[in-house]
Amino acid sequence: MAETARQELIYSLGADAIFESGLLAVPENYARWNITPNGLLITFGEYQVTAYANGAPQVLIPYSVLEPYIDPDGPLAFYLTDS
């Protein structure tokens, strides 16, 4: 998930605009999230992953990326493509 978020932010903001420490795979960096019909929406704090001028960036991690970690009998199984 951390690498997917990093790639998405580099694509949208550019590699020079990213603060790598805010993307490390530690729980506190991914504490703000929401379940959406299209995937897990991660919201980063201002200054966490980029300059304040870029606001609080968001990254959508598609369920296809998360599928290996989703319980096929759990509530998120509804969103899997082969369900």
Side-chain angles (χ1 to χ4, degrees):
M1 184 169 70
E3 184 56 29
T4 301
R6 181 180 175 278
Q7 290 173 4
E8 290 295 321
L9 288 171
I10 287 173
Y11 176 77
S12 64
L13 300 173
D16 293 341
I18 302 301
F19 304 155
E20 295 284 342
S21 62
L23 291 168
L24 294 175
V26 294
E28 55 269 19
N29 283 345
Y30 297 88
R32 295 171 43 188
W33 51 269
N34 292 291
I35 295 171
T36 74
N38 298 316
L40 187 67
L41 182 66
I42 308 294
T43 302
F44 297 100
E46 296 166 340
Y47 291 116
Q48 180 181 345
V49 296
T50 191
Y52 180 80
N54 291 322
Q58 294 183 323
V59 172
L60 184 68
I61 309 293
Y63 290 118
S64 60
V65 171
L66 300 171
E67 188 168 359
Y69 310 102
I70 295 175
D71 180 353
D73 297 320
L76 292 180
F78 173 80
Y79 296 110
L80 298 177
T81 57
D82 61 348
S83 295

